[in-house]
Amino acid sequence: MSNTRDGERVPTPGQLTGEVTVYEPITILDLSDRGALVETQFALHLDSLHEFRLSFGTRSVVVKGRIAHCQIGELNQGTVLYRTGVEFIEPSDHALSAIHSFVEALKFAATTAPMRIVEAELADDGN
């Protein structure tokens, strides 16, 4: 087997730690231009920062969010579900526009057929 590394790896003394970004599905219960209430199968730490990928049909955005509160929401088939308030932190103009358009469409559709967020995931960015 050939070595395809660009650089030599050296052993590290003691314990060297790091973090990895992992995408987990979430359910968005409500949404505004400034934040969201999400439901997860895991607790999120108060004041931690995470990246949220939101997909509104064919339009998708990533926003950074601060965890404002997290509490046990309900027990569903033996699984604890957590409800978490997320405050969006400095969303880009593109993200803000997509969120705002979706929220306005939801308001308009409230009297007709309800719209749903197709997909949403959370990335723990290690902060």
Side-chain angles (χ1 to χ4, degrees), residues 30-41:
D30 64 38
L31 179 68
S32 76
D33 292 353
R34 297 177 48 177
L37 178 65
V38 301
E39 189 172 68
T40 62
Q41 293 184 4

Side-chain angles (χ1 to χ4, degrees), residues 11-106:
T12 57
Q15 182 182 15
L16 182 64
T17 62
E19 295 175 334
V20 64
T21 298
V22 177
Y23 285 95
E24 291 286 339
I26 62 173
T27 300
I28 298 176
L29 302 175
D30 64 38
L31 179 68
S32 76
D33 292 353
R34 297 177 48 177
L37 178 65
V38 301
E39 189 172 68
T40 62
Q41 293 184 4
F42 48 91
L44 294 166
H45 297 284
L46 189 63
D47 289 327
S48 62
L49 297 176
H50 303 274
E51 287 187 343
F52 293 83
R53 183 175 62 196
L54 310 175
S55 296
F56 311 116
T58 59
R59 198 168 185 187
S60 183
V61 297
V62 174
V63 292
K64 184 166 281 207
R66 180 187 70 82
I67 304 306
H69 62 84
C70 183
Q71 59 195 33
I72 294 174
E74 63 181 73
L75 188 61
N76 184 8
Q77 298 178 355
T79 301
V80 175
L81 297 177
Y82 296 88
R83 291 196 172 187
T84 303
V86 178
E87 173 192 12
F88 297 146
I89 305 296
E90 300 178 3
S92 68
D93 290 341
H94 168 75
L96 193 55
S97 174
I99 294 167
H100 182 76
S101 295
F102 189 78
V103 167
E104 290 303 311
L106 282 175

Side-chain angles (χ1 to χ4, degrees), residues 104-121:
E104 290 303 311
L106 282 175
K107 288 178 186 177
F108 179 76
T111 57
T112 60
M115 294 179 64
R116 297 186 60 171
I117 293 178
V118 176
E119 172 187 315
E121 292 181 331

